[in-house]
Amino acid sequence: MESLIIAALALCSLTAPACGDKGTSKARSCSDLRQFYGGKGYSVDKVPLSEISGEHLHICPQGYTCCTVEMEGNLASLSCKEMEGLLKDAGRALQTSLLGQHKAFDGFFLDLLNRSMARLQRSFASTRSLLHLMNSQVFSDLYNDLSGYCRGTSINLEEVLNEFWAKLLEKLVYQKNKQISLGEDYLECVSKQIETIRPFGESPHKTSVLVTRTFLAARSFLQGLMKSAEVVRKVSQVPLSPACMRAMMRMTYCPHCRGIPSARPCANYCSNVMKGCLANQADLNTEWKHLVDTMVNVAENRLINMDQIILSLPDHILEAISTMMEKIDTINAKLSLACGEVGPISTEAEEVRTAGRVTVEDTVGDPSKNMEKLVSDVTTRLRGMQSHWVSLPNILCSDRAAYGAGAEDKCWNGINRARYLPEVMGDGLANQISNPEVEIDITKPDMTIRQQIMQLKITSNRLKNALNGFDVDFQDTSDDPSGSGSGSCTDPSCSQSPGLIATSTGGPVFYPYPPENKKVTGSAQQNVPSIIIFLLSLFILLLRR
């Protein structure tokens, strides 16, 4: 009996094609694979005409095959390029969404500023005075600075507002005394008295609080969108590992080499391959979700009424001017004491004083275009991309894996058509230690992606600072996690470092450098003598031995 079994096995080994998947009595033709291989742009000159023994293969199962080692290598490279192409496409789609939101928000913001400026002009026009004409440059400078600030210009918003009120005071004093030649020294003295005489009442403080918090939030939100898109771009360009290339080849093109091109990968098998290939990308998930949550928080708590604040800016300016003109005699007397005597009030000043505050309604072209709707659209899109990095494996498998009734028993499991038995791994690098499909050293994370995780932390921290009213410059963000301003601290106090100057909207600016008279202790130079003494002592002991 045993001799019959041995003879049967020997016969099967000599006629292996007859014992293959299709149970044919002769070697299968490789014509289909030749056509497929040529369609991918490769030469078919060295493609076998019929199946050959597969002991030479390095990636695919070593049964009878239509693939040579060269073909296996070409198809492995192709599968890797195709996978990287899919990842770049997914990244471009996410980038397009983020940049589209940035463009929509930025455009609406500039439109608000233009409408606010036009409203200010109409308000002055209704008084029929020369006040706006005489001070138009002051107003234009203010709106230009507000626009530049939101687009990332390195300026201090509180200083801009303080300078605006000081210049406006100078202009108004000059205008009401234009019959007298007031020198620069006198006007400089006038601007220095603004805190003492408070000519505009409470308007400057109210305007500063509203404008600073709103514009700070707008700038941080816009730059958050740009930073997010930049992270996506850089992560999408990270090349796949050699282990991933082999796993993709085994899943994608090994069925062709085995003569079963119609076999689709098992769903769980595909998940393990993708989770292994995208393990580093999945580690972005925590900080990415945190950033999205923070951006949504900024939008819903700081930007929802931004249009009302910007469009009401002319009202605050007019109210401030009206307040000054109502007490112009008192102001004039105080300025005379502090800076010298000035002449009587001019006709234009009397005209402004008696005109009072005029409210002009804003004209909106399309009622549907308001900040509330824009914020709603933006936050909906942001929430939709919250799980992007951990959703990628499922998205990429949805078009290629076998689904449906009975599919799990007839799918490609990496070896043949059969059920895939291993369990599905979790997300992220740490969960891939037992991944049966992709060999990963979990102690060696991808450094490019680690740097982008740090960028997400930095951006989230700065958005939170903006939400709390701290103005932090975004321009010092660096790809080097150890560089200036790239710490991962999430407490607002972290902004009190020399590299990040934080300005509270409710107080003055502080530059927290250490006092010059304090010595720095524990430097490397101070440790040098002790090290030398230690080495000399060790050398003497060795000589004595």
Side-chain angles (χ1 to χ4, degrees), residues 1-13:
M1 185 65 180
E2 291 179 356
S3 60
L4 290 176
I5 294 175
I6 294 172
L9 290 174
L11 180 62
C12 187
S13 64

Side-chain angles (χ1 to χ4, degrees), residues 135-177:
N135 302 287
S136 60
Q137 188 62 47
V138 178
F139 301 129
S140 297
D141 288 344
L142 173 63
Y143 278 89
N144 287 335
D145 284 338
L146 292 177
S147 174
Y149 173 83
C150 205
R151 291 190 158 189
T153 303
S154 182
I155 58 177
N156 185 295
L157 193 53
E158 287 190 22
E159 291 179 0
V160 166
L161 292 171
N162 291 338
E163 185 178 358
F164 164 73
W165 293 114
K167 284 185 177 180
L168 183 60
L169 176 61
E170 290 180 17
K171 289 284 186 179
L172 292 175
V173 170
Y174 178 82
Q175 184 177 348
K176 79 179 182 63
N177 296 286

Side-chain angles (χ1 to χ4, degrees), residues 251-304:
M251 182 177 72
T252 306
Y253 291 125
C254 283
H256 291 266
C257 293
R258 290 282 286 169
I260 46 175
S262 62
R264 297 168 69 87
C266 302
N268 288 350
Y269 171 45
C270 183
S271 292
N272 275 342
V273 171
M274 294 301 180
K275 285 177 181 286
C277 287
L278 303 177
N280 282 282
Q281 286 84 340
D283 281 346
L284 288 157
N285 182 60
T286 299
E287 292 303 328
W288 180 263
K289 289 179 66 177
H290 187 201
L291 174 59
V292 170
D293 285 338
T294 309
M295 291 181 68
V296 169
N297 199 5
V298 170
E300 293 181 339
N301 289 280
R302 288 284 181 265
L303 306 183
I304 197 71

Side-chain angles (χ1 to χ4, degrees), residues 343-363:
I345 301 172
S346 67
T347 305
E348 286 80 4
E350 286 291 343
E351 182 179 328
V352 173
R353 177 165 58 178
T354 57
R357 177 181 172 185
V358 179
T359 302
V360 179
E361 293 298 325
D362 176 58
T363 302

Side-chain angles (χ1 to χ4, degrees), residues 423-487:
E423 63 178 3
V424 177
M425 299 292 103
D427 298 311
L429 190 62
N431 288 317
Q432 307 309 310
I433 190 170
S434 300
N435 193 317
E437 309 306 333
V438 187
E439 295 180 4
I440 301 176
D441 185 350
I442 64 172
T443 65
K444 296 180 180 179
D446 184 270
M447 295 311 299
T448 298
I449 291 180
R450 296 294 132 174
Q451 289 172 357
Q452 297 316 304
I453 291 174
M454 182 61 70
Q455 290 302 306
L456 294 176
K457 289 183 179 180
I458 294 170
T459 307
S460 295
N461 183 40
R462 295 180 176 190
L463 279 161
K464 284 192 292 185
N465 282 334
L467 188 63
N468 295 326
F470 291 93
D471 189 358
V472 182
D473 185 11
F474 270 74
Q475 302 304 316
D476 65 353
T477 302
S478 168
D479 279 342
D480 180 8
S482 62
S484 174
S486 59

Side-chain angles (χ1 to χ4, degrees), residues 182-204:
L182 299 179
E184 291 184 3
D185 291 342
Y186 183 87
L187 293 177
E188 183 179 352
C189 176
V190 168
S191 65
K192 289 180 179 180
Q193 306 307 311
I194 193 168
E195 290 295 332
T196 304
I197 63 178
R198 296 171 61 84
F200 301 116
E202 294 297 320
S203 293

Side-chain angles (χ1 to χ4, degrees), residues 298-353:
V298 170
E300 293 181 339
N301 289 280
R302 288 284 181 265
L303 306 183
I304 197 71
N305 61 344
M306 183 177 177
D307 48 354
Q308 301 173 25
I309 292 174
I310 293 179
L311 293 176
S312 67
L313 186 57
D315 293 338
H316 294 293
I317 294 174
L318 286 172
E319 180 183 2
I321 295 174
S322 178
T323 299
M324 176 180 173
M325 294 309 167
E326 286 174 359
K327 52 182 181 179
I328 191 66
D329 293 328
T330 303
I331 294 172
N332 186 48
K334 291 181 178 180
L335 289 177
S336 296
L337 289 174
C339 304
E341 290 291 334
V342 294
I345 301 172
S346 67
T347 305
E348 286 80 4
E350 286 291 343
E351 182 179 328
V352 173
R353 177 165 58 178

Side-chain angles (χ1 to χ4, degrees), residues 514-529:
E516 294 182 359
N517 62 342
K518 290 188 178 181
K519 295 182 180 180
V520 178
T521 59
S523 66
Q525 292 180 347
Q526 291 173 325
N527 290 332
V528 170

